[in-house]
């Protein structure tokens, strides 16, 4: 199988707090990891792509200073939402791919529901 | 720009009533078409990858097919546990840049 663990599953915090979300591939090495936001009744919106040991590539309109991504090893990527505000409340999902190409399936974590008060 | 359109948005079936979900796509340089299942509050679960027109893949009650313009996910004799949102995605290659584009999904409800 291809298991991806995402933690925490739910976060509620005050405005201005920074929140770190972890994404781990448990039984395979992930060359590439992806971070998405998902809004109700909308498709997954890609925020950024990260390759192990490299800087993340952010999609247009995503603030790299706001959403810090680190992919320090082949099994771990983290997303830090800095100085979170209510508009950052969303469902964040990570995925991992063995080889990273668009011909490869992605394996998803179970998401993190972020609520900023 | 790559586009994926899924229909219907929602589908309600009686248990045992077979049907199909549609995924229409336009993509630069198709590298793969993917089907996922997503349960509420969970991340998508990978089901199938299809790479070329005419290809078919099956898993239990699900069968995915692919043409040059669309893919179908056929559900045979569905059970209540098949209730979920089914997502389609296409992997493309444009200008040397690889990208996966997701549809908005079909929410399937199977009634006992």
């Amino acid at each position: 199988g291809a298991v991806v663990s995402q933690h925490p599953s739910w976060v509620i915090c005050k405005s201005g707090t920074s929140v770190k979300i972890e994404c781990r591939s448990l039984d395979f090495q992930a060359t590439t990891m992806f971070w998405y936001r998902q809004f109700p009744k909308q498709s997954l919106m890609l925020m950024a792509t990260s390759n192990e040991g490299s800087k993340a590539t952010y999609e247009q309109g995503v603030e790299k200073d706001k959403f810090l991504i680190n992919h320090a090893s082949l099994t771990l990527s983290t997303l830090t939402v800095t100085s979170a505000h209510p508009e950052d409340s969303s469902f964040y999902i990570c995925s991992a791919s063995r080889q990273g190409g668009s011909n490869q399936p992605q394996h998803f974590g179970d998401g993190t529901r972020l609520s900023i008060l | 720009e790559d586009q994926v359109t899924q229909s219907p948005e929602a589908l309600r079936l009686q248990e045992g009533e077979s049907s199909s979900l549609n995924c229409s796509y336009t993509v630069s340089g198709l590298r793969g078409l993917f089907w996922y299942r997503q349960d509420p509050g969970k991340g998508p679960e990978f089901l199938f990858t299809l790479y070329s027109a005419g290809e078919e893949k099956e898993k239990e009650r699900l069968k995915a097919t692919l043409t040059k313009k669309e893919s179908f996910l056929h559900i045979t004799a569905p059970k209540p546990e098949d209730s979920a949102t089914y997502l389609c995605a296409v992997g493309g290659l444009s200008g040397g840049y690889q990208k996966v584009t997701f549809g908005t999904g079909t929410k399937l409800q199977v009634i006992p």
Side-chain angles (χ1 to χ4, degrees):
Chain A
V3 181
V4 175
S5 173
Q6 187 172 341
H7 180 80
S9 57
W10 194 286
V11 179
I12 302 174
C13 58
K14 293 181 179 180
S15 185
T17 307
S18 291
V19 177
K20 180 186 277 190
I21 303 169
E22 288 190 352
C23 180
R24 292 181 185 272
S25 56
L26 298 184
D27 55 358
F28 67 101
Q29 293 190 322
T31 302
T32 306
M33 287 187 170
F34 305 85
W35 289 95
Y36 293 87
R37 283 179 80 163
Q38 188 174 35
F39 297 97
K41 297 189 177 181
Q42 293 187 28
S43 63
L44 292 163
M45 185 190 83
L46 180 65
M47 298 174 65
T49 303
S50 72
N51 291 296
E52 184 262 338
S54 303
K55 286 186 179 180
T57 301
Y58 290 81
E59 294 299 300
Q60 194 171 9
V62 178
E63 300 174 58
K64 60 180 69 175
D65 294 331
K66 173 79 170 174
F67 298 99
L68 301 178
I69 292 171
N70 183 274
H71 191 165
S73 76
L74 285 170
T75 59
L76 174 64
S77 176
T78 60
L79 167 67
T80 301
V81 183
T82 61
S83 187
H85 292 285
E87 59 266 28
D88 298 322
S89 298
S90 190
F91 190 52
Y92 292 86
I93 311 179
C94 73
S95 71
S97 174
R98 286 183 174 84
Q99 295 173 347
S102 60
N103 60 343
Q104 298 293 316
Q106 296 175 30
H107 303 282
F108 288 83
D110 274 342
T112 297
R113 176 74 58 190
L114 177 62
S115 298
I116 308 297
L117 305 176
Chain B
E1 187 176 324
D2 299 344
Q3 286 194 322
V4 178
T5 303
Q6 291 189 246
S7 62
E9 276 190 29
L11 182 61
R12 199 173 182 198
L13 299 173
Q14 291 288 332
E15 184 172 1
E17 180 187 0
S18 301
S19 189
S20 297
L21 313 182
N22 177 264
C23 171
S24 297
Y25 66 90
T26 55
V27 64
S28 299
L30 178 70
R31 304 200 76 224
L33 184 139
F34 310 93
W35 281 98
Y36 294 86
R37 168 194 169 123
Q38 186 173 21
D39 292 300
K42 299 288 186 182
E45 174 191 347
F46 170 67
L47 294 174
F48 303 110
T49 308
L50 301 168
Y51 291 108
S52 57
E55 191 175 358
E56 298 182 353
K57 287 197 177 167
E58 285 188 70
K59 180 180 180 181
E60 296 180 358
R61 295 177 292 282
L62 301 177
K63 179 179 170 181
T65 62
L66 180 65
T67 73
K68 288 186 178 179
K69 294 183 179 179
E70 56 192 356
S71 176
F72 291 94
L73 184 65
H74 306 278
I75 303 178
T76 303
K79 297 183 178 181
E81 53 262 41
D82 295 323
S83 298
T85 295
Y86 290 85
L87 300 173
C88 171
V90 291
L93 177 62
S94 178
Y97 179 59
Q98 300 186 54
K99 186 173 180 180
V100 177
T101 303
F102 282 83
T104 52
T106 293
K107 185 174 182 179
L108 174 65
Q109 183 184 14
V110 182
I111 303 161

